[in-house]
Amino acid sequence: MSFVKSIMFLLCLLALCGCEPPGTTANTDDSKLQIIATTGMIADALEEIVGDQAEVTALMGPGVDPHLYKATQGDLKRLTDADAVFYNGLYLEGKMGEVLEKLARLKPVVAVADQLPEARLINSTDYASAHDPHVWFDVSLWSEAAGIIGAEMGRIDPPHAKLYQANAKAYQEKLSELHLWVAAEIRKIPETQRVLITAHDAFEYFGQAYDIEVRGLQGISTVSEFGLRDVSELVDFITGRGIKAVFVESSVPEKSLQAVVEGVKQRGHTTKIGGTLYSDAMGAEGTAAGTYPGMVQANVRTIVEALR
């Protein structure tokens, strides 16, 4: 389905769904609220915060790249049927953001990262006047996002506002401990080897929060393509610094970094694929990396093991 047709389909659904004003929910009986989240990270925070008061569904599952994601007809139906929708914002979801802006005429639609303090956001290297959307890699910043989600759920469902606030606070306390753990683990890597090289530039918040240099073959968005010059420059950097390992991502094809590893080998040096990191998507449901804290822990353990 083309993007233009997706917009038209959504508008038709909006017309059929009536004229309920934004800020109210479609829930008129005792059934649970139906909440849609675009990414697994947002869905995980929502599940912690809403408890048994709502059912949360993530549109984008494990291994899905949100930069390239295209909404299906089924997605559009789920979005229009939901009582509320939460998405990352800061252009993470690409053109799908326009669909979500249209949907906001009908119901609560929350761009979580758009509400974070601008002073804590990193400027985009790909697009002028835009910010890096990968805010969840700084656990302390994602804790602020959890607070935003809790407050928004209180506005969406006022009778349970105190519950959402309490659950959000409890979740933030867990994230505070996780933030300290990540910082301590990264310090185990010798400073000369504290360099994180990945397929695309998704880890700037991680690098800034935990004092580790980061490099990506592609830009902030995987929409941007890399060329021979990008590969050559990264090979020069790795050989010059003697970097032990580079990391592939679960939502980005591995072949991009394989070219870098091969280029380093041709220079007479050795670097290895240090493992797979979860970048724009979490792990499979039911696994340790299928939750936000578990994903963060899995990433950190992979990084430390390969670089220390």
Side-chain angles (χ1 to χ4, degrees), residues 81 188 191 206 212 308:
D81 286 346
K188 293 178 180 179
E191 286 190 27
F206 187 84
I212 181 169
R308 66 183 300 182

Side-chain angles (χ1 to χ4, degrees), residues 234-304:
L234 195 51
V235 167
D236 288 343
F237 178 81
I238 292 169
T239 55
R241 294 282 296 272
I243 306 301
K244 292 182 179 180
V246 298
F247 300 87
V248 296
E249 301 173 37
S250 62
S251 56
V252 180
E254 185 175 331
K255 63 180 181 180
S256 58
L257 275 183
Q258 288 288 5
V260 173
V261 171
E262 183 60 31
V264 172
K265 183 179 180 180
Q266 291 175 3
R267 299 280 186 89
H269 296 271
T270 300
T271 193
K272 64 180 181 179
I273 299 292
T276 300
L277 303 181
Y278 301 98
S279 56
D280 291 339
M282 300 195 308
E285 185 177 352
T287 68
T291 68
Y292 171 75
M295 176 194 74
V296 172
Q297 289 172 333
N299 278 350
V300 170
R301 291 185 178 116
T302 298
I303 292 166
V304 172

Side-chain angles (χ1 to χ4, degrees), residues 41-89:
M41 290 75 75
I42 295 173
D44 186 69
L46 274 163
E47 287 174 347
E48 292 281 343
I49 290 165
V50 303
D52 295 330
Q53 297 302 318
E55 292 186 3
V56 179
T57 302
L59 286 185
M60 304 176 193
V64 174
D65 184 346
H67 300 287
L68 304 176
Y69 188 79
K70 294 181 180 179
T72 65
Q73 287 192 18
D75 291 337
L76 295 173
K77 183 66 165 60
R78 281 188 285 272
L79 287 167
T80 55
D81 286 346
D83 294 303
V85 178
F86 287 74
Y87 70 109
N88 190 84

Side-chain angles (χ1 to χ4, degrees), residues 126-140:
D126 291 346
Y127 307 104
S129 303
H131 295 99
D132 184 337
H134 303 90
V135 294
W136 57 89
F137 282 118
D138 177 345
V139 179
S140 68

